[in-house]
Amino acid sequence: MVFDHVAYSLFAMFFFIGQVEGRLGPSTVVLDHTSGFEGLLFVDDDLLGVIGHSNFSSIRATTCVFKGKWEYEVLISSQGLMQIGWCTLNCRFNQEEGVGDTPDSYAYDGNRVRKWNVTTTNYGKEEKLTEKDSASWQLQGEPTVLVTLAHIFNHFAPLMCKVYLVEDVLMNFLLSILEGGGSVDEHPLIQQLLDLFWLLMEDFEASECLKQLMMSLLRAYRFSPIIPDLGFQIHYLRLTTAILRHEKSRKYLLSNFTFDVLRSVVFFYIKTPLRVKEAGLEELIPTTWWPTRLDKEGKDEKEQRHESAEERLRRRAYERGCQRLKKRIEVVEELQVQILKLMLNNKDKATGEASRYIFLNKFRKFLQENASNRGNPTVLCPPEYMVCFLHRLITAVRSYWDEGKPKIPGSINSEEAYVPPQMFYNGKVDYFDLQRLGGLLSHIKKTLKDDLATKANIIIDPAEIQAASMDDLDEDEESGAGQRPSGAAAVGGALARPSWLSSPTLGRANRFLSTAAVSLMTPRRPLAPPEKVKVRALPVEQRTEEDIEGSHGNDGLLLGRPPEEPDQPITEKSLLEILDGIVMMYNLSVHQQLGKVRKLDLYGLKSRISDRVLPWCVQRSDILEELEKSQRVFSEKLNHLSRRLAWINATIYSKEKMLDVYWLLRVCIRTIEHADAAGSLFAFTPEFYLNVGMNSYSALKNYFSPAHSMEELPGYEDTLTQLAAILAKQFADPRIVGTDIKDSLMQALASYVCYPQSLRAVERIPEEQRVAMMRNLLAPYEQRPWAQTNWILVRLWRGCGFGYRYTRLPHLLKTKPEDANLPSLQKPCPSLLLQKHMAELLTQDKDMAASFLNSVLNQLNWAFSEFIGMIQEIQQAAERPERNFVDTRQLKVCATCFDLSVSLLRVLEMTVTLVPEIFLDWTRPSAELLLRRLAQLLNQVLNRVTAERNLFDRVVNLRLPGLESVDHYPILVAVTGILVRVLVDSDRQGIARAAAVLLSDPCFQLHSIQHLLGEGVASGGGANHKHFSLHAYADYISAEEEQKVEQMLAFLTEESKQAAATTPTSEDDLCPICYAHSISAVFKPCSHKSCKACINQHLMNNKDCFFCKATITGVEDYSKPTGS
């Protein structure tokens, strides 16, 4: 028997009727998972259930029949196209042919009501997915009287290990006990039955029966259809809760059943219905509604749209339906939380280790499996399961946290929860191979061993380090160990590493962490020096309650409290480790899953587009008919998505789920603040805490709107300010060495300053931190990721520059952006306060100002040169007869170089506007050199962009996909802003100096300046060719700005005429290096000469003379002797 086209899932049960000699195979028929399959399949542990994950997947059973009459029964648990039938032993399947597609196989498909044997014909009646009638287990007399007869279990116990009887009889009998309603506590019969199972059955029989019962419940919960009241899910969860209330059964299941990758969190997942009708959502939400927020294309402000009375009624009716759905889902969620709270029970210590500590070890193993197999999705817990599990776990942990607060004097409530920093370095919690902020754990341990000893009273045991990683232990560390106090003695031997931590994928950091030895002062004697005693960290699976919670002066998980950490209890230490796991779980897959709902906006947009186009097609009946048909299709799809969105909002994006993510954000913020206060020990903090802090803020801002706004959250502004302080400090923190996390911090800060609310939060952090942030942003651009830094400075300036008040470039107004929520498409929101700090820093620190501006000019020279080189290649490819396509990646790099050039020009405009004396006050050492370099680059840009029918013009007119941002306006306006500032808005002396330097540059061309206003441009180029002119951008450039450009052009025209009328300089008096400026400097001691610009730029990198290679000790001014 073969299952083919397994697109979803099914379970099979086989009942054979006939003679035994007509059958070959084992007594129990299961699926052949070793060789009898084709395609990607997931087979259950009992080999009775299968899920297909590829097209045309096939799998055989393990039995052959050749004589007699045989009957099989299959339970199909999901929708899809499936063929089930018989085949010969020689039949072979592949990804194209399954059962029924080959000559020696026959199959039946109930979905399409057809039978298959190479060809197909109609056969049978249409199948419908219905709940199978279950058999009932009838007992005569009182159950307690019957089961007390122990001898009955001699025959009864073996039957309870059979999966069919457990699923069809036992599970349904237990479910019937709970059918009367009421709380689970009102039905003690289930507890009594479980007591009898463990009492009268062998342990292996009771264990197997319990395992099969939970597997049956899991399958039933996972594949039961969604009905309006979620009755099936509630029924199965109630039985699961009743079973877990039994202490011995709970501990067995925690130790042997839960947290095996997939089945671990199935009970905490609420699946989304595939079909709205099946779930009854049409009856529950009869009226659909969709948000109709539209942005006015090309403008900064949003279109004000008034809601009509009809729309208001539809919205309110839809919201009422959503509330009804939410209340029904909350019943399921409450049962799931109850299950977790039973697993987290730490009061059941009478019969051995409490449930919570078993849960801790299994939960850590679950996290390790998902963290170490990120590249193998088939063994990972599905992210949609992780999302639901995370929310239930947060609810359960917070409940236990607040319930335990009165029992621990001085402890904090869950609203103030955080993970103390000592958990990151005392070796009590295993972080596998996850990266730390300071790099590899082995490296941090070696470099910070002295800080660990002085601040946390923790000593690294050289013997343990050598056992874990011989190549990471140097001789200095071994000799230093001999000088430690003689009272330090090793306790115990090396403990065996658990098998689940022996994965070859784990790095050296993981091996180091789990075997590192730590010590802490345990006695608390006043006026006595701390005594350091070496202890060994236990592997996770071998820890006990005492190792976690501590006792008799032992702090358990909180060994090694740094002096900066307050000496007060937080909560039960086991809850701290679970909280740490919650943060890790969010980082592994939850955040990525939260972003998927945004795809639903597409259909609403298309439907609204159809509404706009219809009025224009009245005269074309054929087009009108097609558009109306499309509109009906989109309308039906929109109604379907509206109801599905209601389900998703209730299960994933509700206000309660938003508060959970917000709580997680605040936990990360407080944890980072406490770890940061520990000084150098901050390097031990795992990177994922910073990642979760940044990602959870992004989720709150982008994923939960428009249904819920982050501004409604309690303490919203304070939280933004705290996160801003972390980003402002940590993006340039030398204790953070990982390239990826540093880039993430820089990108997060760049996004943070793009939005008014978060930018105001940056302005609210203490002044000292703001100044330090700006100082780090103004560091030289060499040898660091300067592009993001430059982007941050540009955002602080956007809205203040010349013609720099736009949200989108003028030539892109008619196109729709892919994502209007991108930071680059937000309204300009400049920060005058941060600009003030920048001006003060550049004014006071002359050396920093010079190095910063030189690096900006260097990067501008590189970026614009790369851009010109690339557009030359693009133009050559476009002119070839074969019209070769230009590589998309090359186009993207070309556009990036152009954007970098524009942003660097804007930073120069910002600098010259805020601190013009850096260029114009020649008493500053590098002012003249900086001004000459600036003039040279501006002239080069103008000449390349404004030349008539030049290379830039031709590439822009091609309008290639990927080069949409390349246009005249952004780069010419940025250059114009710099020129206006130095030639119009400066004082008289500064204007004279700037004009002299600009006109003396050999690349200066007056027609480039005239091109800005459309003057001096030849009339050629064709009727359709439009010449650039600032006058054409009246919506983006003010009349005052245009007037300044005209004033600048008139001034340069007059200065050019005067310069042309002066007596030309003799060739002998020109600088022999550049032949552009007069000789103005003489070198000591060799007395060779050049202009100041050439020698000053040369001395930045070399101290040798141009001509004789003598070492230059000084440079003096030179003026030509009178009469010579």
Side-chain angles (χ1 to χ4, degrees):
M1 181 183 150
V2 178
F3 306 96
D4 182 30
H5 302 251
V6 187
Y8 293 88
S9 57
L10 52 84
F11 294 96
M13 293 187 297
F14 307 89
F15 300 93
F16 294 96
I17 305 171
Q19 301 176 7
V20 176
E21 62 267 24
R23 173 181 181 275
L24 294 177
S27 58
T28 302
V29 183
V30 294
L31 298 173
D32 185 0
H33 70 293
T34 57
S35 60
F37 66 92
E38 179 67 36
L40 179 60
L41 297 162
F42 285 176
V43 182
D44 282 356
D45 293 347
D46 55 12
L47 304 181
L48 294 174
V50 61
I51 306 174
H53 282 270
S54 64
N55 292 331
F56 294 92
S57 302
S58 303
I59 189 168
R60 301 173 185 262
T62 57
T63 299
C64 170
V65 295
F66 58 90
K67 184 179 180 181
K69 295 182 179 181
W70 302 92
E71 177 182 324
Y72 63 85
E73 179 181 341
V74 176
L75 174 61
I76 301 174
S77 299
S78 62
Q79 301 292 335
L81 302 180
M82 287 173 267
Q83 294 173 200
I84 305 174
W86 305 88
C87 71
T88 65
L89 184 63
N90 295 326
C91 186
R92 293 292 179 267
F93 304 119
N94 53 45
Q95 291 291 315
E96 301 297 331
E97 294 181 341
V99 63
D101 299 327
T102 60
D104 45 5
S105 65
Y106 292 83
Y108 171 65
D109 181 352
N111 190 303
R112 291 176 286 188
V113 199
R114 304 181 75 84
K115 62 180 180 180
W116 300 76
N117 176 240
V118 180
T119 60
T120 178
T121 57
N122 294 330
Y123 183 79
K125 297 181 179 180
E126 183 178 1
E127 295 177 350
K128 292 187 180 295
L129 184 61
T130 59
E131 182 70 6
K132 186 174 69 68
D133 293 333
S134 59
S136 60
W137 183 19
Q138 300 292 337
L139 294 178
Q140 300 297 327
E142 292 295 330
T144 54
V145 176
L146 293 174
V147 295
T148 53
L149 303 176
H151 68 276
I152 295 180
F153 276 83
N154 291 331
H155 304 282
F156 177 69
L159 296 176
M160 289 298 97
C161 298
K162 302 297 182 180
V163 60
Y164 304 121
L165 292 177
V166 171
E167 183 168 350
D168 259 2
V169 180
L170 178 59
M171 185 180 76
N172 288 312
F173 170 71
L174 297 177
L175 287 171
S176 66
I177 296 176
L178 300 174
E179 284 180 354
S183 66
V184 177
D185 295 334
E186 298 175 4
H187 302 281
L189 179 58
I190 294 178
Q191 305 294 311
Q192 296 169 4
L193 286 174
L194 291 173
D195 284 335
L196 290 172
F197 281 10
W198 286 106
L199 177 65
L200 301 176
M201 295 171 65
E202 296 291 340
D203 283 352
F204 74 90
E205 293 175 331
S207 302
E208 182 65 21
C209 176
L210 200 58
K211 178 182 176 181
Q212 295 297 342
L213 177 59
M214 292 303 294
M215 287 292 295
S216 300
L217 274 174
L218 187 148
R219 284 193 295 267
Y221 176 81
R222 182 180 178 188
F223 297 112
S224 59
I226 301 294
I227 59 178
D229 63 352
L230 300 175
F232 293 135
Q233 286 73 19
I234 293 174
H235 211 34
Y236 298 132
L237 287 176
R238 279 167 52 84
L239 179 54
T240 304
T241 305
I243 294 172
L244 290 177
R245 285 184 180 277
H246 188 265
E247 183 176 324
K248 188 171 183 179
S249 300
R250 177 173 69 248
K251 291 184 178 181
Y252 166 76
L253 292 172
L254 279 171
S255 301
N256 301 282
F257 180 79
T258 57
F259 288 106
D260 288 338
V261 184
L262 177 61
R263 67 187 182 197
S264 54
V265 295
V266 169
F267 283 118
F268 309 110
Y269 174 58
I270 303 177
K271 64 180 180 180
T272 304
L274 296 177
R275 297 182 180 178
V276 170
K277 291 183 179 180
E278 292 176 1
L281 292 183
E282 289 184 345
E283 294 78 14
L284 200 61
I285 309 176
T287 304
T288 60
W289 173 81
W290 196 273
T292 54
R293 299 181 308 144
L294 286 174
D295 291 337
K296 194 173 183 180
E297 297 181 5
K299 299 297 181 181
D300 293 340
E301 66 274 4
K302 290 185 177 180
E303 181 182 3
Q304 298 296 326
R305 187 179 183 278
H306 297 287
E307 188 179 41
S308 65
E310 181 182 358
E311 289 177 337
R312 189 182 304 111
L313 291 175
R314 290 180 62 86
R315 175 176 57 81
R316 291 176 179 175
Y318 176 74
E319 291 173 351
R320 287 193 297 269
C322 293
Q323 285 299 318
R324 290 192 294 268
L325 175 63
K326 182 181 176 183
K327 289 180 179 179
R328 298 185 180 186
I329 291 176
E330 285 175 349
V331 177
V332 178
E333 293 177 346
E334 179 59 32
L335 287 171
Q336 293 171 334
V337 172
Q338 289 181 22
I339 292 174
L340 264 178
K341 293 179 72 173
L342 289 171
M343 293 181 176
L344 294 178
N345 184 4
N346 66 336
K347 305 301 181 184
D348 52 352
K349 306 174 185 177
T351 58
E353 189 176 15
S355 300
R356 180 181 297 178
Y357 306 108
I358 304 174
F359 176 90
L360 260 182
N361 295 333
K362 292 295 183 178
F363 182 48
R364 211 70 193 178
K365 176 182 177 180
F366 168 78
L367 294 174
Q368 187 267 342
E369 290 172 341
N370 281 274
S372 302
N373 293 286
R374 299 295 295 276
N376 188 7
T378 59
V379 299
L380 296 180
C381 178
E384 59 270 21
Y385 289 21
M386 292 280 267
V387 172
C388 295
F389 181 45
L390 176 103
H391 289 295
R392 311 302 176 267
L393 191 54
I394 288 177
T395 304
V397 167
R398 294 194 65 180
S399 175
Y400 271 115
W401 192 304
D402 292 331
E403 288 175 5
K405 183 181 183 303
K407 304 174 185 177
I408 307 176
S411 61
I412 61 178
N413 57 37
S414 63
E415 282 295 332
E416 302 170 346
Y418 70 95
V419 179
Q422 54 265 44
M423 286 179 57
F424 304 143
Y425 56 74
N426 63 16
K428 294 294 185 180
V429 179
D430 196 340
Y431 287 99
F432 328 123
D433 55 351
L434 297 178
Q435 192 76 352
R436 308 298 184 98
L437 293 179
L440 283 177
L441 182 62
S442 55
H443 171 73
I444 307 174
K445 287 278 189 178
K446 287 197 302 183
T447 55
L448 298 180
K449 61 180 183 295
D450 294 335
D451 291 341
L452 283 171
T454 56
K455 290 186 175 183
N457 294 330
I458 288 180
I459 295 177
I460 307 299
D461 186 353
E464 284 297 311
I465 297 177
Q466 190 173 18
S469 181
M470 289 289 294
D471 56 339
D472 285 341
L473 182 65
D474 54 19
E475 296 180 358
D476 294 337
E477 189 169 9
E478 295 183 29
S479 62
Q483 301 173 2
R484 290 178 183 140
S486 58
V491 178
L495 294 168
R497 184 175 182 80
S499 60
W500 59 270
L501 282 178
S502 302
S503 170
T505 60
L506 300 184
R508 187 186 312 165
N510 182 24
R511 299 196 302 271
F512 188 97
L513 174 62
S514 62
T515 56
V518 298
S519 67
L520 179 74
M521 174 190 69
T522 50
R524 298 186 179 181
R525 299 189 298 270
L527 303 178
E531 180 182 354
K532 301 176 176 63
V533 180
K534 296 193 187 91
V535 296
R536 295 183 184 275
L538 293 174
V540 174
E541 289 186 338
Q542 299 184 12
R543 295 182 308 173
T544 64
E545 178 184 351
E546 183 176 347
D547 297 319
I548 296 172
E549 301 291 355
S551 63
H552 306 296
N554 174 19
D555 286 337
L557 291 181
L558 301 187
L559 283 170
R561 181 181 61 85
E564 298 83 2
E565 182 69 13
D567 186 12
Q568 67 174 27
I570 302 174
T571 186
E572 296 172 279
K573 299 178 180 65
S574 54
L575 294 180
L576 292 175
E577 184 173 344
I578 299 176
L579 176 58
D580 175 80
I582 290 173
V583 178
M584 187 188 301
M585 188 163 54
Y586 185 92
N587 181 68
L588 290 177
S589 60
V590 172
H591 177 74
Q592 182 180 5
Q593 178 68 16
L594 288 177
K596 291 186 176 180
V597 74
R598 300 186 64 179
K599 297 178 182 178
L600 294 176
D601 291 333
L602 177 63
Y603 289 97
L605 172 64
K606 289 182 178 179
S607 180
R608 292 192 294 271
I609 290 176
S610 299
D611 291 339
R612 291 184 175 187
V613 175
L614 281 174
W616 299 93
C617 304
V618 178
Q619 297 180 355
R620 292 290 304 274
S621 58
D622 53 341
I623 298 178
L624 182 62
E625 182 180 354
E626 289 297 322
L627 280 176
E628 289 176 345
K629 181 179 178 181
S630 299
Q631 189 183 34
R632 286 193 297 271
V633 171
F634 282 128
S635 179
E636 292 175 2
K637 189 67 176 178
L638 193 60
N639 290 336
H640 173 79
L641 289 177
S642 179
R643 294 186 174 98
R644 288 202 65 188
L645 182 60
W647 183 281
I648 294 172
N649 282 338
T651 56
I652 302 177
Y653 298 96
S654 66
K655 184 62 176 291
E656 291 75 17
K657 309 304 184 296
M658 187 179 188
L659 288 172
D660 285 345
V661 177
Y662 182 58
W663 179 76
L664 205 58
L665 167 62
R666 299 179 70 175
V667 167
C668 291
I669 288 175
R670 281 188 290 268
T671 299
I672 295 167
E673 290 174 344
H674 281 262
D676 179 57
S680 59
L681 301 183
F682 178 64
F684 287 94
T685 307
E687 284 185 356
F688 65 78
Y689 273 90
L690 278 174
N691 282 326
V692 172
M694 295 181 287
N695 289 336
S696 57
Y697 166 73
S698 174
L700 291 168
K701 181 165 62 70
N702 298 320
Y703 299 161
F704 286 87
S705 62
H708 306 288
S709 172
M710 189 178 178
E711 298 177 4
E712 303 171 359
L713 297 171
Y716 159 74
E717 291 189 353
D718 292 339
T719 301
L720 281 187
T721 305
Q722 289 176 299
L723 183 58
I726 290 174
L727 295 177
K729 180 178 182 180
Q730 309 304 340
F731 86 93
D733 194 330
R735 296 172 296 180
I736 301 176
V737 301
T739 303
D740 292 339
I741 188 65
K742 291 173 73 173
D743 288 346
S744 297
L745 285 166
M746 187 71 74
Q747 292 172 11
L749 182 60
S751 175
Y752 216 72
V753 299
C754 291
Y755 300 88
Q757 298 91 342
S758 51
L759 180 59
R760 300 290 88 82
V762 175
E763 295 178 342
R764 288 195 299 268
I765 65 177
E767 181 178 356
E768 181 181 355
Q769 295 184 22
R770 294 198 304 268
V771 173
M773 179 190 74
M774 294 305 300
R775 185 180 296 276
N776 290 325
L777 290 174
L778 296 176
Y781 280 5
E782 285 80 11
Q783 298 180 353
R784 71 187 186 95
W786 58 269
Q788 288 291 347
T789 300
N790 196 79
W791 169 250
I792 295 173
L793 294 175
V794 168
R795 288 300 307 188
L796 299 179
W797 177 245
R798 189 173 182 179
C800 296
F802 184 93
Y804 200 37
R805 294 170 293 276
Y806 55 83
T807 300
R808 300 190 67 207
L809 292 171
H811 67 286
L812 296 179
L813 294 184
K814 296 181 180 180
T815 62
K816 184 71 176 178
E818 295 182 1
D819 187 357
N821 291 321
L822 290 174
S824 58
L825 297 179
Q826 302 309 307
K827 296 179 182 179
C829 51
S831 173
L832 300 180
L833 178 60
L834 297 180
Q835 291 178 22
K836 175 185 174 184
H837 292 325
M838 176 179 174
E840 292 172 350
L841 288 170
L842 293 177
T843 302
Q844 296 168 4
D845 195 333
K846 298 180 180 179
D847 293 336
M848 181 185 71
S851 60
F852 168 70
L853 286 171
N854 272 311
S855 66
V856 173
L857 293 169
N858 290 339
Q859 300 300 343
L860 174 60
N861 184 37
W862 168 83
F864 190 72
S865 300
E866 288 291 317
F867 169 71
I868 294 299
M870 288 183 182
I871 64 173
Q872 288 176 347
E873 297 177 5
I874 293 171
Q875 176 64 20
Q876 292 172 2
E879 290 178 348
R880 294 192 187 108
E882 59 272 19
R883 299 285 294 178
N884 291 338
F885 291 102
V886 182
D887 183 25
T888 305
R889 182 178 177 275
Q890 184 181 7
L891 293 174
K892 185 176 181 180
V893 173
C894 179
T896 301
C897 288
F898 179 80
D899 294 338
L900 287 175
S901 301
V902 174
S903 64
L904 288 164
L905 285 168
R906 286 298 183 181
V907 170
L908 289 172
E909 180 193 17
M910 178 183 184
T911 306
V912 77
T913 302
L914 298 176
V915 197
E917 58 268 25
I918 293 180
F919 296 96
L920 303 178
D921 182 6
W922 286 5
T923 60
R924 296 173 70 105
S926 304
E928 184 180 358
L929 173 61
L930 290 172
L931 183 60
R932 292 188 183 279
R933 292 194 65 192
L934 177 65
Q936 182 183 15
L937 285 171
L938 295 180
N939 282 326
Q940 289 178 3
V941 172
L942 284 173
N943 292 342
R944 290 284 190 175
V945 176
T946 61
E948 180 66 21
R949 304 300 296 166
N950 62 2
L951 177 64
F952 185 87
D953 261 346
R954 293 196 295 271
V955 172
V956 168
N957 291 332
L958 289 175
R959 294 300 177 192
L960 297 174
L963 293 182
E964 292 86 357
S965 63
V966 179
D967 193 66
H968 294 81
Y969 180 83
I971 194 165
L972 289 181
V973 171
V975 171
T976 305
I978 299 174
L979 292 176
V980 166
R981 182 62 185 87
V982 297
L983 295 174
V984 178
D985 294 338
S986 300
D987 56 26
R988 180 173 299 179
Q989 185 181 29
I991 293 174
R993 288 174 175 171
V997 169
L998 187 67
L999 294 173
S1000 63
D1001 188 86
C1003 298
F1004 174 77
Q1005 297 180 16
L1006 183 61
H1007 73 79
S1008 295
I1009 308 296
Q1010 295 171 340
H1011 185 279
L1012 299 175
L1013 295 176
E1015 300 178 7
V1017 180
S1019 59
N1024 295 328
H1025 181 69
K1026 297 181 179 180
H1027 299 289
F1028 177 84
S1029 174
L1030 294 177
H1031 294 306
Y1033 298 92
D1035 292 339
Y1036 296 86
I1037 299 175
S1038 65
E1040 181 183 359
E1041 289 173 334
E1042 287 189 30
Q1043 184 179 359
K1044 289 183 177 181
V1045 177
E1046 293 172 353
Q1047 182 180 345
M1048 177 186 69
L1049 178 58
F1051 171 73
L1052 288 177
T1053 302
E1054 184 63 28
E1055 291 293 317
S1056 298
K1057 293 178 180 178
Q1058 294 181 6
T1062 57
T1063 304
T1065 305
S1066 171
E1067 184 176 349
D1068 295 336
D1069 296 331
L1070 291 176
C1071 170
I1073 303 301
C1074 65
Y1075 283 94
H1077 309 117
S1078 300
I1079 295 174
S1080 56
V1082 59
F1083 315 155
K1084 296 298 180 182
C1086 61
S1087 299
H1088 286 111
K1089 305 178 186 67
S1090 75
C1091 66
K1092 287 184 179 180
C1094 288
I1095 187 57
N1096 287 338
Q1097 189 164 358
H1098 177 70
L1099 290 177
M1100 291 175 64
N1101 303 308
N1102 198 326
K1103 302 298 181 183
D1104 296 338
C1105 175
F1106 290 112
F1107 308 101
C1108 64
K1109 303 303 178 184
T1111 302
I1112 299 175
T1113 59
V1115 178
E1116 297 180 356
D1117 292 341
Y1118 172 81
S1119 58
K1120 184 177 180 181
T1122 306
S1124 60

